Amino acid sequence: MTTTYEGMFLLDNQAVRADWCQAKAMVTDLLGKNGAKVLCARRWDERKLAYPIKGRTRGTYLLAYFEIAGTGLNGIRRDFELDERVLRYLLLKVDAIPAGEREKAAEEGADGYVVPPPPTDEAISPERAVFGDLADRPIQEHLRRNTPAEADAGDGAEAEVAEAAAAEES
Amino acid sequence: MAESRKPSPPIASRHCDDPKIDYKEVAYLQKFLTPQAQILSRKRSGFCTQCQRELKAAIKRARHMGLMAFVQ
């Protein structure tokens, strides 16, 4: 007896940018390998993540509906845990495919479909991909604290005070 | 004697027979979070027991998928 499941997969944007069709095929192939029958699959959205996941600040979500017998689900979970291109996944049992999902998936599968370009606000530098918002902070601000120059200046000021005290005594 | 603070009215306007709360409706779920991203209590959300459980599950699923923050 088969059950219908909804699968939401958060994909690494590097794999998605290289080739969306290949990234989608990777997910559907893994599902098919474990005996699932993919009913429909489509690109749900590309979003900025609420918190960094494996160093990524953005990701593309793939929404798929598939049928599988209960025993095959463990294999699917294992495969997606091992695949580094899948950052997160969520499998939920559903009664039926929501209305309109098949049509949206068919639109994407049709010829002439163009993957929407990434938002213009992205412009992620390699530093930003690793450090997130910290990358925008000027580096000099961190270096300015306790620099050798300041330490020298501090010693110099102390020496001046000592010299002034000695002059007063004399 | 200090005046007691007037409680804010519940914000949910939902019937229990409505379709289940979906974790993908992030804008809707955001309404039931405090500014620190904690889930509102049933008293403040205005949900019944079953709906509050659905809300909790939906928010936790959205958090797991990186759609919503655990803490802000």
Side-chain angles (χ1 to χ4, degrees):
Chain A
M1 184 189 163
T2 58
T3 316
T4 309
Y5 289 92
E6 174 189 305
M8 176 75 98
F9 305 93
L10 174 58
L11 304 179
D12 187 357
N13 256 3
Q14 285 182 350
V16 172
R17 294 288 155 70
D19 189 358
W20 164 246
C21 294
Q22 203 175 350
K24 184 178 169 183
M26 178 265 294
V27 174
T28 51
D29 287 351
L30 275 183
L31 291 172
K33 194 187 93 179
N34 289 284
K37 181 188 171 193
V38 180
L39 303 173
C40 61
R42 71 178 176 96
R43 180 184 187 275
W44 185 63
D45 203 1
E46 183 195 331
R47 292 197 179 190
K48 186 183 178 195
L49 304 177
Y51 52 90
I53 298 175
K54 293 182 185 170
R56 309 287 192 272
T57 53
R58 296 189 74 91
T60 302
Y61 293 90
L62 185 138
L63 182 64
Y65 290 88
F66 57 93
E67 281 180 348
I68 191 170
T71 52
L73 215 56
N74 290 334
I76 289 179
R77 287 186 193 281
R78 189 176 57 242
D79 282 347
F80 284 118
E81 289 286 348
L82 292 175
D83 201 309
E84 291 182 350
R85 291 166 293 183
V86 179
L87 304 177
R88 289 280 164 98
Y89 66 92
L90 182 67
L91 304 176
L92 298 175
K93 198 186 283 186
V94 291
D95 297 330
I97 301 177
E101 276 299 324
R102 286 182 189 275
E103 289 77 11
K104 286 177 184 171
E107 275 177 28
E108 189 179 302
D111 293 339
Y113 174 79
V114 180
V115 179
T120 51
D121 63 345
E122 187 167 13
I124 290 183
S125 62
E127 295 83 14
R128 193 170 169 75
V130 176
F131 296 110
D133 291 338
L134 270 179
D136 294 339
R137 290 176 66 180
I139 297 172
Q140 290 176 353
E141 189 183 320
H142 303 291
L143 295 178
R144 209 171 288 141
R145 296 176 195 147
N146 299 323
T147 53
E150 282 184 5
D152 293 345
D155 293 344
E158 287 173 9
E160 284 175 12
V161 172
E163 282 175 13
E168 283 178 10
E169 284 177 7
S170 63
Chain B
M1 187 180 156
E3 287 182 18
S4 60
R5 209 178 121 218
K6 190 179 176 186
S8 53
I11 53 177
S13 58
R14 183 174 184 274
H15 198 267
C16 294
D17 294 337
D18 289 351
K20 279 197 166 186
I21 300 172
D22 193 0
Y23 71 95
K24 296 190 284 294
E25 296 173 13
V26 180
Y28 178 71
L29 298 176
Q30 289 281 2
K31 291 200 292 183
F32 301 100
L33 296 181
T34 66
Q36 286 78 34
Q38 293 170 307
I39 302 174
L40 290 187
S41 65
R42 192 173 306 146
K43 190 174 169 183
R44 289 186 61 194
S45 69
F47 278 135
C48 68
T49 313
Q50 284 78 18
C51 295
Q52 181 77 11
R53 278 188 194 169
E54 275 182 29
L55 175 76
K56 182 187 76 173
I59 290 176
K60 289 184 176 182
R61 283 170 182 159
R63 282 175 176 168
H64 170 71
M65 291 305 291
L67 294 168
M68 294 173 78
F70 282 89
V71 65
Q72 276 179 343

